[in-house]
Structures are given as structure tokens and as C-alpha cells.
Amino acid sequence: MSQYETAKAFFEACETGKGWDGCKSWCHDGATFSCQADALAQTTTLAEYADWMKGLLTPVPDGRYKLTAFAVDETRGTVVAAAEFHGTQTGEGGPVAPTGKAVVSDYAYVIQFDGDKISHMTKIWNDVHALRGLGWA
């Protein structure tokens, strides 16, 4: 698979709540994760993040993405994905009882490769906007 195909497969699995078990085949063991957002401040591995995304779909069962851009920089071994997350908190399991509030939240992934597998991903995201939209902040 090309880096583009690998990143696309990973992105789709992660964003549809497959968790680490559904994402790990495209990643190095110990792949790292970073995000300058308080909601994910303690999340340092891609495994933790993939499972966090899976868990998010419990309180936000209609959570889905709308991909707005997807590009590869082969020279740097990097793929960038930009998207919108859409969802409404109707399920249990959030920080508060279901609010019925909906959110559209912009985000981007910068996915870095070592060879043919993902070694690191950075998420660029305004968590405060997203949490307010869902009624969680």
C-alpha cells in the first residue's frame, strides 16, 4: 500500500470507531500521538487515541466525519487530512447526561510515516469549541 492508501485506511477506521484493534495494522507498535488540546492532554499514543475515538461514539452515536482535504507529502513521509466532525450527544457515557446538542467541529491530522507504517500523528483541534457545542463545557 502507498502512504496515501495506508493513511486513508487508518483515517476511516479511526473515525468510524474501530479502535486500536481496527487501526493497528497500519501503525508501528508504540506509534505516538500529540494534540495541543486539554481534552487529549494525557493521550500520548496512537493506540490511546484510536480507543478514545471509539469511546466518543458511545455518547455521540451518530458521530461522523466529512472529509474536506486529504494530501500526501511523499518527500517528508507525511499525509495531512482535514475534516469536520458532526455529531449529537444522545447517548449515555459522556461527562454529563445526554444533552441533545449537536456540534460541527473542524480538525486536521498530520500523519507521519516511518517506512510504510504510521509512526506518529498530530491532531489539530479546538476542543473547547467542540465541548461547548455538545454542552460539555
Side-chain angles (χ1 to χ4, degrees):
M1 292 179 90
S2 69
Q3 290 178 347
Y4 180 93
E5 293 166 329
T6 298
K8 187 85 163 57
F10 168 82
F11 181 90
E12 290 174 2
C14 185
E15 296 304 288
T16 58
K18 303 297 188 257
W20 183 240
D21 285 340
C23 295
K24 65 184 173 185
S25 65
W26 299 292
C27 304
H28 283 285
D29 291 336
T32 55
F33 173 84
S34 63
C35 182
Q36 294 177 346
D38 289 344
L40 292 167
Q42 303 303 314
T43 306
T44 59
T45 69
L46 205 43
E48 292 169 327
Y49 177 71
D51 285 340
W52 181 85
M53 278 300 300
K54 179 179 180 179
L56 178 63
L57 296 180
T58 298
V60 186
D62 70 339
R64 63 207 175 278
Y65 69 90
K66 177 184 174 192
L67 195 58
T68 58
F70 205 86
V72 63
D73 180 340
E74 292 177 12
T75 302
R76 291 170 186 80
T78 302
V79 175
V80 178
E84 298 171 347
F85 177 84
H86 295 249
T88 305
Q89 191 212 358
T90 58
E92 297 293 333
V96 298
T99 62
K101 293 186 176 184
V103 69
V104 176
S105 181
D106 297 310
Y107 65 100
Y109 288 170
V110 179
I111 303 168
Q112 297 174 321
F113 282 79
D114 180 6
D116 62 350
K117 291 196 171 196
I118 298 167
S119 60
H120 178 80
M121 186 177 86
T122 300
K123 181 173 186 170
I124 302 166
W125 175 53
N126 183 342
D127 63 333
V128 174
H129 171 78
L131 298 177
R132 276 191 206 134
L134 289 169
W136 294 0

